[in-house]
Amino acid sequence: MKSLRFPWICLVIFSVCLLLWYCHVMRSRFNMKTGLRGYVRLQFNTRSASHFLDFRCGRCAVVSSSGQMLGGGRGQEIDRHDCVIRMNVAPTVGFEADVGNRTSLRVVSHTSVPHLLRQQEYFFGAEAGTTYVIWGPEKNMRQDGKGKIYNALVKLAKKYPRTNIYTVTTEKVQYCDRIFQNETGKNRMKSGAFLSTGFFTMILSLEMCDSILVYGMIDGSYCSNANHSFVPYHYYEPSRLDECRMYRAHEHAKRGGHRFITEKRIYSRWASQGKLQLVYPPWTPQEHGFNQV
């Protein structure tokens, strides 16, 4: 009897070990699948398992950096949303009445990372609870030691280990390129266009929010109106270039320009589908065709 009992004990032990291993594998796969693919947590500890951005919200406010925000008095309204999403390094201090003072998540361009580094005490002190999503081209975000911006972010994450910093993968950037082409019929790279931070912000917001209210974005026809007023490109840089003048310069640049006006026509199309609302200044959602980019 003892000789028969031993193989059964071994079989039970083996079965338990196999079950534990299976549960571990499935749990690991589940953890990797949770969150939004294309947004990966920046890891400075190579022993840490990378994971995707797990950030979901019901009602989101997307706040533009445009001078259109000035004088609107929408600050308290913005802060009442479940999440407040801002772009690049647009500050809240001194502008609370118009833009609010809460920041849940910032989408930041690789070109704005140096500004983050120069204002570390504000962004990683006063806004310590903010999640950062950084996008940029492969040459700046590569992880083989040659990505200048990526290397700077790794140092930043080491200095502020509680900060949540995510980078947009190359595959996600290419996905955004395809969306631009599908919406306009134009290849982004061949047309000489660079997607704006606003474009990446809108796509991320559509993925993570149940509903989105956008503040401070003008519609695609605003600058063509003869009676449009002078508005600073950024609300925190009142003496700088006029917004419409900047938009026109980028729209017609042969290489390296953001197609701000074209992008806003895309947003209007998305708004007509219901999830996205362009509340201030108010838009009337329209279906747009695109003859040129």
Side-chain angles (χ1 to χ4, degrees), residues 143-266:
Q143 302 177 27
D144 59 358
K146 297 180 180 180
K148 183 178 179 180
I149 298 301
Y150 186 85
N151 293 343
L153 292 173
V154 170
K155 292 180 180 178
L156 198 63
K158 288 180 179 179
K159 186 174 180 179
Y160 302 96
R162 295 184 179 180
T163 300
N164 294 315
I165 301 176
Y166 292 79
T167 58
V168 180
T169 65
T170 299
E171 292 75 18
K172 193 67 177 183
V173 173
Q174 293 170 348
Y175 168 78
C176 293
D177 282 349
R178 290 195 296 273
I179 290 179
F180 181 87
Q181 181 165 334
N182 290 340
E183 291 287 345
T184 65
K186 302 290 185 178
N187 179 278
R188 180 195 65 79
M189 295 186 69
K190 290 181 179 179
S191 69
F194 285 170
L195 297 179
S196 73
T197 299
F199 197 81
F200 286 99
T201 302
M202 290 297 232
I203 290 175
L204 174 56
S205 299
L206 288 166
E207 292 173 336
M208 61 176 259
C209 302
D210 293 334
S211 63
I212 306 152
L213 283 77
V214 183
Y215 293 83
M217 285 191 183
I218 58 174
D219 66 45
S221 62
Y222 176 86
C223 293
S224 62
N225 296 331
N227 60 346
H228 75 268
S229 58
F230 173 92
V231 175
Y233 177 56
H234 288 147
Y235 67 78
Y236 52 92
E237 297 175 329
S239 63
R240 298 297 181 88
L241 191 63
D242 171 61
E243 180 176 57
C244 283
R245 185 177 176 186
M246 175 70 83
Y247 284 1
R248 291 194 194 97
H250 274 268
E251 191 73 14
H252 300 293
K254 292 184 178 180
R255 302 294 304 175
H258 295 308
R259 305 305 191 231
F260 292 117
I261 296 174
T262 294
E263 289 180 0
K264 285 168 175 54
R265 289 173 179 166
I266 295 173

Side-chain angles (χ1 to χ4, degrees), residues 87-98:
M87 302 174 213
N88 292 320
V89 294
T92 59
V93 176
F95 302 95
E96 294 90 342
D98 291 329

Side-chain angles (χ1 to χ4, degrees), residues 61-65 69 78 84-87 99 213-215 235:
V62 172
V63 185
S64 168
S65 303
M69 294 302 302
I78 289 169
V84 179
I85 303 168
R86 303 186 191 276
M87 302 174 213
V99 305
L213 283 77
V214 183
Y215 293 83
Y235 67 78

Side-chain angles (χ1 to χ4, degrees), residues 68-171:
Q68 299 286 342
M69 294 302 302
L70 295 173
R74 298 298 183 111
Q76 291 185 1
E77 177 183 327
I78 289 169
D79 284 341
R80 285 195 293 267
H81 289 72
D82 298 324
C83 294
V84 179
I85 303 168
R86 303 186 191 276
M87 302 174 213
N88 292 320
V89 294
T92 59
V93 176
F95 302 95
E96 294 90 342
D98 291 329
V99 305
N101 58 22
R102 290 182 54 228
T103 305
S104 309
L105 183 145
R106 281 186 184 271
V107 180
V108 181
S109 164
H110 59 110
T111 58
S112 290
V113 170
H115 297 285
L116 288 181
L117 298 176
R118 286 195 291 268
Q119 302 175 63
Q120 294 180 34
E121 291 185 3
Y122 174 75
F123 289 109
F124 306 107
E127 289 195 356
T130 299
T131 295
Y132 292 84
V133 175
I134 317 294
W135 71 272
E138 174 66 17
K139 65 178 182 179
N140 289 337
M141 303 300 290
R142 56 193 297 178
Q143 302 177 27
D144 59 358
K146 297 180 180 180
K148 183 178 179 180
I149 298 301
Y150 186 85
N151 293 343
L153 292 173
V154 170
K155 292 180 180 178
L156 198 63
K158 288 180 179 179
K159 186 174 180 179
Y160 302 96
R162 295 184 179 180
T163 300
N164 294 315
I165 301 176
Y166 292 79
T167 58
V168 180
T169 65
T170 299
E171 292 75 18

